[in-house]
């Protein structure tokens, strides 16, 4: 043992060996190889970029040359047409020049498309295309021929500016290419290309400047002469520079280009012009000479372009050579780096072999132990590995004892000797105490599991199965009947007036009622039927199998009768002694449909159908039994379709507003309108409001509908004011549903709509039905908030909600709208009632609007009561915004007709 300890001290640790084997060689070659490889990668990239830059320069220079060729026919046309009197036909001459221009423009467009295909030249090409389009658009403009010719002279300056821009772009690409390769040969080739590009650029300017000299007075020394001589001499210097400094291939190509017949013709013409100017004889060539010059300059430019292509080819060849050399060096240095890496890894593998075996066996043992196989662990390898092995072996010994104790507990041998055997050390004491606690907890857990299982599936108050258990049992029943072909029935029981019990007698009394209801339901149904409480005052009865629906309906009526009997509750909520309460019930029935196709239902669907039927039973008067049948299914499907269509209409802008004028019964003028929502459905036309408004009011869609109507109607007021006419300055009334009135967002909706339109608040009236105000007094506070903003409030359908006249002093409204049923009635008592309403409204400072006026006699009767305003078909039907002006004017005519109407006693 002592010898092993001494050997461990003398041995080198695992960490030290790995550091020596890996870090020392890798750090050495990584630094040098990294520098070499990085440099070669950069050089390859620079050479590739130089090739791309050269290609871009050649493409742009080709575009520059084509632009120059396009400009020459335009400039030539001025002078040639001036000289047409020397024997040439002017019309034919103009046609020849137009043909030259068309060919040149086509070649320019081809070069422009080629430049736009290159990513490096795309931006410059697009900018040049824009400028070229503008230059071409100004060609030959002017009301008179002389002005158009002057315009063509000025046009050359625009072409020359574009050519200069392209030449600058070419120089920029060439400069970038020259500095990108870091190679002397490439630099010489790029300089040859730069000289050639400069020479071709100057050559392109010679003829246009010569044409400018031709138009100048004989012997003139103006700007035209200076520009021509500068261009001619500049080209001569550039040509001499190429001949003196360029490499042989470029010089040879240059000599061949200068010897081209078109080049010699152009040079001879220009040299003659220079000589004539120097002798003071002037330079006024014939039109034939100018026409030949315009044709020859194209051939000369093409010959010079061949020189440029030769220089470009040599530059690209030099750049490719640099790139290829850099790639070879990159491969060589990469191979060296890989070799060094392989040697280093080989050394690591050789040295690590001495420790790989012990570590692998130790890992195998650890893996087996982690999987529960308590194997013996060999102590071998470096000091660190031997230390780990000894610790792992000690842990295995302790784990074997723990395993034996755990097996005894699992076998139920809780009194076994091995269970009582303690383990050594503090950890052993903790484990032994834990085993004893486990034994005690086993019994407690079994009891707790039983309790939890019951609580998870049953209602704590009534001990009935809860919602989850009801759905589970319904699902099992549906699975059974799917195999047998039977049906499952589900009765949804919703208690009536249960909320009143809680509110008056307290929740304790409500709990007594729920327990009594549960007991009565259990006693009334068969033993095989399942009674469950879903929550609150909702219960279900699961019946399986179902013989016929009539039997379920009879059972529903029996349950209603049973639950309608008085229920005794104890003293709760301050009540003394016992008392009796009565609660009714509404029952909805749903029956499963046989089959495995789309017609089959699951437990959730069956429960939803039964709940829907119960909801209809409550809506139809409570204490009823309703069956979810095909009629109800169809009605709900149609309602869902309308709701979905209405959502789409809101998103697709299919809704429109129609406006019905409100006429002043004293003057016949229209001062306000009521905005009514209409649905213009594509392919169907106007959808009747009675078909979609109730659906909207039954969902949150009515709030979205209200917000849309507010924004749209106020925006329309702004449009009316801007257009002027009879609709300017109108007020608008918008209907607000009870659901929207109860929404906390209504106040913000109104404020946002007013702010968005910039309309004064007093031009907006919100119409609330009287029944909403009677049924929901909380709405009064919301109306007070709206009036504080400055908005007017009107009670719609007044007289149908049983609002007393005494309440008018407290109701937060500004206008009463008398229901159309009172306006249309011939009963003298109804007429007197309208008179009372008008009088009461005046007493409390409220305005009155009579609805549904359809006859002239009704107008006279309302005027007799002192009613302020009226609306109805007699004056105008609701119309779109574009037809409202005509409807407003028509209201005045209807008012005049009603005044001429004689009532019959």
């Amino acid at each position: 043992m002592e010898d092993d300890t001494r050997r461990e001290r003398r041995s080198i640790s695992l960490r030290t060996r790995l550091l020596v084997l890996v870090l020392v060689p890798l750090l050495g070659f990584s630094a040098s190889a990294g520098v070499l490889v990085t440099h070669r990668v950069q050089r390859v990239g620079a050479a590739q970029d130089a090739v791309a830059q050269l290609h871009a320069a050649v493409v742009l220079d080709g575009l520059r040359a084509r632009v120059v060729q396009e400009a020459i026919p335009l400039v030539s046309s001025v002078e040639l047409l001036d000289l047409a009197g020397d024997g040439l036909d002017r019309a034919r001459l103009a046609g020849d020049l137009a043909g030259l221009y068309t060919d040149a423009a086509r070649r320019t467009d081809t070069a422009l498309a080629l430049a736009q295909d290159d990513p490096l030249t795309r931006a410059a090409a697009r900018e040049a295309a824009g400028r070229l389009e503008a230059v071409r658009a100004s060609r030959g403009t002017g009301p008179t021929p002389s002005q158009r010719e002057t315009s063509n002279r000025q046009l050359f300056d625009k072409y020359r500016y574009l050519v200069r821009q392209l030449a600058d772009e070419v120089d920029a690409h060439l400069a970038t290419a020259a500095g990108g390769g870091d190679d002397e040969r490439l630099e010489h080739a790029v300089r040859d290309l730069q000289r050639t590009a400069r020479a071709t650029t100057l050559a392109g300017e010679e003829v246009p400047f010569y044409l400018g000299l031709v138009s100048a007075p004989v012997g003139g020394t103006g700007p035209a002469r200076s520009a021509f001589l500068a261009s001619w001499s500049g080209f001569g210097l550039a040509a001499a520079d190429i001949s003196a400094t360029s490499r042989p291939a470029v010089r040879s190509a240059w000599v061949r280009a200068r010897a081209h017949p078109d080049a010699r013709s152009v040079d001879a013409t220009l040299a003659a012009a220079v000589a004539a100017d120097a002798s003071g004889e002037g330079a006024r060539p014939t039109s034939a000479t100018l026409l030949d010059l315009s044709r020859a300059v194209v051939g000369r430019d093409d010959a010079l372009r061949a020189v440029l292509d030769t220089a470009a080819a040599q530059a690209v060849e030099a750049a490719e050579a640099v790139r290829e050399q850099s790639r070879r060096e990159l491969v060589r240095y990469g191979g060296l780096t890989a070799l060094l890496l392989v040697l280093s890894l080989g050394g690591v593998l050789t040295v690590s072999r001495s420790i790989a075996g012990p570590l692998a066996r130790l890992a195998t043992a650890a893996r087996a132990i982690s999987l529960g196989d308590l194997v013996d662990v060999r102590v071998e390898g470096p000091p660190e590995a031997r230390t780990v092995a000894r610790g792992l072996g000690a842990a295995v010994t302790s784990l074997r004892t723990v395993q034996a104790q755990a097996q005894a507990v699992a076998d139920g041998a809780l009194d076994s000797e091995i269970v009582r055997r303690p383990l050594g050390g503090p950890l052993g004491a903790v484990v032994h105490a834990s085993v004893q606690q486990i034994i005690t907890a086993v019994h407690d857990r079994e009891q707790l599991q039983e309790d939890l299982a019951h609580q998870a599936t049953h209602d704590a108050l009534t001990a009935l199965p809860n919602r989850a258990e009801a759905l589970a049992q319904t699902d099992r029943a549906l699975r059974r009947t799917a195999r047998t072909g039977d049906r499952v029935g589900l009765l949804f029981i919703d208690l009536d007036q249960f909320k009143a019990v809680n509110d008056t007698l307290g929740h304790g009394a409500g709990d007594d009622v729920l327990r009594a209801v549960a007991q009565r339901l259990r006693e009334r149904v068969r033993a095989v039927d399942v009674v469950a409480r879903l929550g609150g005052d909702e219960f279900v009865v699961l019946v399986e199998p179902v013989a016929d629906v009539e039997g379920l309906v009879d059972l529903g009526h029996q349950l209603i009768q049973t639950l309608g009997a008085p229920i005794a509750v104890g003293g709760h909520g301050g009540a003394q002694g016992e008392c009796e309460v009565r609660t009714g019930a509404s029952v909805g029935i749903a029956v499963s449909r046989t089959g495995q196709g789309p017609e089959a239902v699951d437990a959730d669907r069956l429960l939803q159908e039964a709940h829907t039927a119960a909801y209809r039973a409550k809506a139809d008067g409570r204490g009823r039994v309703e069956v979810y049948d095909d009629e109800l299914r169809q009605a709900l499907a149609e309602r869902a379709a309308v709701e979905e269509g209405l959502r789409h209409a809101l998103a697709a802008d299919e809704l429109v507003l129609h406006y019905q004028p409100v006429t002043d019964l004293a003057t016949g003028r229209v001062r306000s309108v009521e905005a009514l929502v209409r649905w213009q459905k594509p392919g169907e036309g106007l959808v009747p409001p009675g078909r979609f408004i109730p659906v909207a009011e039954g969902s949150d869609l009515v709030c979205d509908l209200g917000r849309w109507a507010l924004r749209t109607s106020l925006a329309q007021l702004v449009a009316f004011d801007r257009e002027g006419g009879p609709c300017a300055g109108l007020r608008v009334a918008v209907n607000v549903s009870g659901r929207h009135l109860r929404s906390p967002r209504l106040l913000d909706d109104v404020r946002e709509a007013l702010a968005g339109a910039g309309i004064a608040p007093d031009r907006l009236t919100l119409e609330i039905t009287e029944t909403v105000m009677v049924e929901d007094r909380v709405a009064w506070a919301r109306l007070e908030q709206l009036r504080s903003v400055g908005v007017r409030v009107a009670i719609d359908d007044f007289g149908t909600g049983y609002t007393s006249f005494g309440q008018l002093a407290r109701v937060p409204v500004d206008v009463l709208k008398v229901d159309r049923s009172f306006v249309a009635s011939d009963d003298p008592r109804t007429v007197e009632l309208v008179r009372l309403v008008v009088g009461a409204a005046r007493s409390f400072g409220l305005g009155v609007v009579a609805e549904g006026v359809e006859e002239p006699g009704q107008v006279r009767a309302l005027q007799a009561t002192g009613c302020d305003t009226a609306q109805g078909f007699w004056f105008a039907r609701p119309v779109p915004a574009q037809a409202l002006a005509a409807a407003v004017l028509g209201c005045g005519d209807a008012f005049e007709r009603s005044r001429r109407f004689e009532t019959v006693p």
Side-chain angles (χ1 to χ4, degrees):
M1 187 68 181
E2 293 179 357
D3 292 337
D4 290 340
T5 303
R6 283 195 298 269
R7 281 195 298 270
E8 288 178 2
R9 291 175 179 175
R10 289 195 300 268
S11 63
I12 302 175
S13 68
L14 176 63
R15 177 179 296 178
T16 303
R17 293 181 183 182
L18 292 178
L19 288 175
V20 171
L21 290 174
V22 177
L23 292 181
V24 172
L26 286 181
L27 288 176
F29 80 79
S30 294
S32 59
V35 173
L36 294 175
V37 170
T38 300
H39 179 265
R40 291 307 180 270
V41 169
Q42 291 175 346
R43 189 170 183 184
V44 170
Q48 291 175 339
D49 184 63
V51 172
Q53 295 289 343
L54 289 171
H55 181 268
V58 172
V59 169
L60 286 179
D61 192 74
L63 176 58
R64 176 204 59 74
R66 296 309 180 191
V67 171
V68 171
Q69 292 177 6
E70 180 178 331
I72 289 175
L74 292 179
V75 182
S76 300
S77 64
V78 179
E79 307 309 328
L80 287 174
L81 292 177
D82 285 345
L83 297 173
D86 61 358
L88 291 179
D89 181 56
R90 186 179 183 90
R92 181 179 178 183
L93 185 59
D96 292 341
L97 291 173
L100 289 175
Y101 172 77
T102 300
D103 293 341
R106 185 172 59 254
R107 289 192 295 271
T108 302
D109 292 338
T110 301
L112 189 61
L114 180 63
Q116 289 180 337
D117 290 338
D118 193 323
L120 289 180
T121 62
R122 186 172 295 129
R126 288 177 178 173
E127 182 179 357
R131 293 186 177 276
L132 183 60
E133 182 179 358
V135 173
R136 289 175 175 177
S138 63
R139 179 173 67 89
T141 58
T144 65
S146 62
Q147 291 177 340
R148 287 193 292 271
E149 293 173 3
T150 302
S151 174
N152 282 347
R153 287 192 177 98
Q154 296 170 347
L155 196 61
F156 174 65
D157 291 333
K158 299 178 181 179
Y159 273 106
R160 190 159 61 91
Y161 178 73
L162 177 58
V163 168
R164 279 301 178 186
Q165 283 190 316
L166 292 173
D168 291 342
E169 290 288 340
V170 170
D171 291 341
H173 285 294
L174 291 177
T176 303
D182 192 20
D183 182 80
E184 183 177 358
R185 178 187 173 189
L186 176 59
E187 291 178 1
H188 284 303
V190 171
R191 280 198 292 271
D192 285 348
L193 183 57
Q194 287 173 326
R195 295 187 191 98
T196 308
R198 171 172 172 76
T200 56
T201 300
L202 292 172
E205 295 179 348
E206 282 186 306
V207 172
F209 282 130
Y210 168 67
L211 294 176
L213 176 64
V214 168
S215 64
V218 176
T221 57
R225 175 176 177 273
S226 300
F228 167 67
L229 293 178
S231 173
W232 184 80
S233 60
F235 174 70
L237 292 175
D241 188 27
I242 293 175
S243 300
T245 60
S246 297
R247 288 182 296 178
V250 176
R251 287 199 302 272
S252 298
W254 182 256
V255 171
R256 287 194 300 273
R258 295 300 299 276
H260 191 277
D262 287 338
R264 295 175 64 183
S265 175
V266 173
D267 291 343
T269 301
L270 298 180
V274 172
D277 182 75
S279 64
E281 297 179 357
R284 192 65 175 176
T286 66
S287 58
T289 302
L290 293 181
L291 185 58
D292 292 340
L293 179 64
S294 298
R295 291 169 177 166
V297 73
V298 176
R300 185 185 75 156
D301 286 350
D302 290 341
L304 295 180
R305 282 288 303 168
V307 182
L308 186 69
D309 291 341
T310 300
Q314 288 205 341
V316 170
E317 181 183 356
E320 291 287 354
V322 173
R323 180 170 60 181
E324 186 61 30
Q325 180 183 359
S326 300
R327 284 178 177 173
R328 287 195 299 270
E329 293 176 351
L330 177 61
V331 171
R332 184 166 60 254
Y333 293 141
L336 178 61
T337 301
L339 177 61
L340 291 176
L341 181 61
V342 169
L343 293 176
S344 299
L345 292 177
V348 171
L349 291 176
T350 301
V351 177
S352 64
R353 188 182 301 277
S354 61
I355 60 176
L359 287 179
R361 286 186 286 274
L362 181 61
T364 301
R367 187 179 302 107
I369 294 169
S370 67
L371 296 176
D373 187 8
L374 303 180
V375 299
D376 293 330
V377 181
R378 294 173 57 182
V379 179
E380 59 179 339
E384 294 85 349
R386 288 195 290 271
T387 301
V388 172
R390 281 194 291 271
L392 191 59
V396 167
T397 301
S398 299
L399 287 174
R400 284 173 176 169
T401 303
V402 173
Q403 184 182 42
Q405 293 181 347
Q407 186 63 46
V409 173
D411 295 341
L414 303 181
D415 296 330
S416 173
E417 178 65 25
I418 191 63
V419 173
R420 293 192 294 270
R421 180 186 303 170
L423 297 174
L427 179 61
V430 172
V431 172
H432 182 68
S434 299
V435 170
Q436 299 303 315
Q437 291 179 359
I438 290 172
I439 295 173
T440 304
V442 167
H443 303 291
D444 297 339
R445 183 186 62 183
E446 292 175 352
Q447 184 62 42
L448 179 61
Q449 287 178 340
E450 294 179 1
D451 296 340
L452 290 176
H454 186 271
Q455 294 175 11
T457 58
H458 287 74
D459 175 50
L461 179 64
T462 62
L464 293 177
N466 57 17
R467 183 186 187 90
E469 181 63 15
L471 288 173
Q473 295 206 32
T474 303
D475 183 67
R476 289 193 287 270
L478 290 171
R479 293 177 183 273
R480 287 192 297 269
T481 56
R483 294 190 296 270
T484 62
D486 294 326
R487 293 185 296 172
V488 175
L490 199 64
L491 288 79
F492 191 102
I493 301 102
D494 193 333
L495 300 183
D496 298 333
Q497 308 301 332
F498 178 73
K499 185 175 183 297
V501 176
N502 275 335
D503 293 343
T504 56
L505 300 179
H507 290 282
D511 292 345
D512 290 344
V513 170
L514 293 175
R515 281 189 287 265
V517 168
Q519 182 63 28
R520 292 182 183 185
L521 290 176
R522 277 195 298 258
E523 293 172 352
R524 189 64 193 79
V525 302
R526 301 176 304 176
V528 294
D529 297 333
V530 177
V531 179
R533 180 189 176 205
L534 300 180
D537 58 350
E538 297 175 343
F539 297 83
V540 293
V541 176
L542 175 64
V543 179
E544 178 198 3
V546 173
D548 53 64
V549 178
E550 289 76 11
L552 292 178
V553 174
D554 291 340
L555 176 59
H557 286 298
Q558 294 173 17
L559 294 178
I560 291 175
Q561 184 179 3
T562 299
L563 299 180
I567 298 176
V569 298
H572 299 282
Q576 297 295 326
E578 290 188 353
C579 62
E580 289 186 344
V581 298
R582 289 179 179 271
T583 62
S586 299
V587 178
I589 298 175
V591 181
S592 67
R593 297 175 289 284
T594 59
Q596 299 295 330
E599 71 278 1
V601 295
D602 57 14
D604 287 321
R605 176 72 176 274
L606 192 65
L607 178 61
Q608 181 60 38
E609 292 180 354
H611 180 268
T612 301
Y615 180 81
R616 185 168 72 169
K618 292 181 77 71
D620 290 345
R622 310 186 184 218
R624 296 170 54 87
V625 177
E626 290 287 347
V627 179
Y628 189 89
D629 52 14
D630 291 337
E631 179 183 353
L632 180 57
R633 185 177 297 107
Q634 180 64 26
L636 292 176
E638 291 177 357
R639 183 184 182 89
V642 172
E643 182 176 342
E644 182 61 26
L646 192 54
R647 291 185 189 278
H648 174 75
L650 277 168
D653 199 20
E654 295 177 2
L655 299 178
V656 295
L657 285 180
H658 285 194
Y659 300 90
Q660 186 173 32
V662 179
T663 306
D664 190 322
L665 293 180
T667 64
R669 298 188 62 183
V670 175
R671 301 187 182 277
S672 65
V673 293
E674 179 180 1
L676 302 170
V677 179
R678 296 291 185 262
W679 182 2
Q680 186 71 40
K681 192 172 183 180
E684 185 175 336
L686 283 177
V687 179
R691 186 173 154 196
F692 69 90
I693 293 297
V695 175
E697 290 178 342
S699 67
D700 289 336
L701 276 175
V702 74
C703 298
D704 297 332
L705 208 61
R707 296 186 191 99
W708 176 86
L710 283 170
R711 294 193 304 268
T712 306
S713 60
L714 293 180
Q716 187 61 58
L717 287 189
V718 175
F720 286 152
D721 293 347
R722 183 171 57 251
E723 295 168 1
C727 297
L730 289 178
R731 296 191 299 271
V732 68
V734 180
N735 292 283
V736 176
S737 68
R739 187 186 292 266
H740 199 186
L741 182 63
R742 290 187 291 271
S743 171
R745 286 189 53 187
L746 175 61
L747 193 61
D748 291 335
D749 292 340
V750 172
R751 285 173 173 164
E752 290 173 4
L754 289 170
I759 290 291
D762 61 358
R763 293 181 66 183
L764 173 64
T765 300
L766 301 180
E767 294 191 3
I768 314 295
T769 59
E770 184 183 8
T771 53
V772 170
M773 298 187 63
V774 171
E775 295 175 357
D776 190 358
R777 297 302 177 89
V778 179
W780 288 22
R782 189 63 47 76
L783 295 179
E784 289 286 8
Q785 294 174 339
L786 290 170
R787 294 183 73 204
S788 67
V789 175
V791 173
R792 292 159 55 88
V793 176
I795 297 181
D796 198 10
D797 301 331
F798 184 76
T800 61
Y802 309 105
T803 302
S804 67
F805 287 155
Q807 290 178 307
L808 292 179
R810 296 180 291 106
V811 176
V813 297
D814 304 281
V815 179
L816 302 180
K817 299 194 71 172
V818 180
D819 187 68
R820 64 178 62 244
S821 61
F822 295 98
V823 175
S825 176
D826 296 330
D827 190 339
R829 292 174 297 178
T830 302
V831 176
E832 186 60 29
L833 180 59
V834 173
R835 189 185 304 276
L836 290 174
V837 170
V838 173
R842 290 188 180 280
S843 301
F844 297 114
L846 306 178
V848 179
V849 179
E851 298 183 285
V853 177
E854 299 182 358
E855 300 174 1
Q858 295 171 354
V859 177
R860 296 295 297 271
L862 290 169
Q863 288 174 330
T865 64
C867 182
D868 301 328
T869 54
Q871 67 182 96
F873 288 177
W874 171 254
F875 294 105
R877 293 176 178 271
V879 295
Q882 58 268 26
L884 183 58
V888 169
L889 296 176
C891 289
D893 296 338
F895 177 75
E896 291 299 326
R897 291 197 304 271
S898 65
R899 292 180 61 183
R900 295 192 298 269
F901 176 76
E902 296 292 339
T903 59
V904 179

